[in-house]
Structures are given as C-alpha cells and as structure tokens.
Amino acid sequence: MRQANIYYCDQLAGVLTEDENGYTFQYDTSYLSAEHPNAISLTMPLTNEPYHSMVLFPFFDGLIPEGWLLDIAEKSWKINRRDRMSLLLACCKDCIGAISIVPIINEE
C-alpha cells in the first residue's frame, strides 16, 4: 500500500491511497470543517465519503509530467511510465498550482 498527503495551498486536504483494490481519495475531516474549504478538483467535490477508482483519478494523473520531462523522470528514478502512483509521488511534491503531493512513508 502506498499513500500520499494531498495539500491544497499548504493545507492538508486529504489522503490518496493505492492498494490491491485500486485508488482511494478521502478528504481530511479537519479540512472539510475549515471555514472555506476548496475542492481539489471539480471532478472531486467536497464530501465526507471516500472516492474509489480502479485507475489513478484523472485529476492526479494530469499532474504527472509528460513528454521530455516524463522521459527524464523515468530515466533518473528508473520508474516505469505505467506506474502512475510512483511517478506522482516522485514528481509532484512541488507542482504548478495549488496542489502538492507528499508521500507518506510507512515504516514497517
């Protein structure tokens, strides 16, 4: 299982999880109860219910670099371009816009 904290303007908005059942995104309850929370995407409106998908949500997939930048990431970190979660975790900590992806390191 791999997880990442999703930040909106440096405020924890939720957690993205990849496991054997696919992907889950859950908004943080503190974020939802804030004075003026914003949805991270129009396709993922604010809700207490988790979002589930067998493939990486299009919003997150759209944050992954393309073209020559993807080639550099693929070669530098030796990540298969079909491993979308690894690319998201490696490349999107400081991406353009209000969203940041920060890997959660599970020490087992």
Side-chain angles (χ1 to χ4, degrees):
M1 177 171 71
R2 295 185 285 182
Q3 293 184 299
N5 284 324
I6 310 302
Y7 289 87
Y8 184 92
C9 294
D10 298 324
Q11 184 178 14
L12 179 63
V15 174
L16 176 65
T17 303
E18 178 196 41
D19 60 21
E20 63 277 355
N21 298 317
Y23 297 88
T24 303
F25 174 74
Q26 175 75 53
Y27 278 105
D28 184 75
T29 53
S30 299
Y31 182 76
L32 290 172
S33 63
E35 192 169 327
H36 296 291
N38 290 304
I40 61 165
S41 165
L42 292 176
T43 60
M44 301 177 91
L46 297 171
T47 179
N48 287 317
E49 299 300 316
Y51 289 94
H52 299 285
S53 178
M54 291 302 295
V55 296
L56 185 59
F57 299 98
F59 170 74
F60 293 114
D61 197 67
L63 297 175
I64 297 171
E66 297 177 334
W68 64 270
L69 194 53
L70 176 58
D71 293 339
I72 291 171
E74 184 179 22
K75 290 174 185 160
S76 296
W77 290 304
K78 298 180 179 16
I79 299 172
N80 185 318
R81 67 179 51 227
R82 287 178 281 181
D83 185 353
R84 306 308 279 177
M85 186 69 167
S86 289
L87 287 167
L88 186 73
L89 295 175
C91 301
C92 299
K93 183 173 182 180
D94 188 22
C95 52
I96 295 174
I99 303 297
S100 298
I101 313 295
V102 179
I104 297 172
I105 308 300
N106 294 323
E107 297 187 19
E108 297 174 5

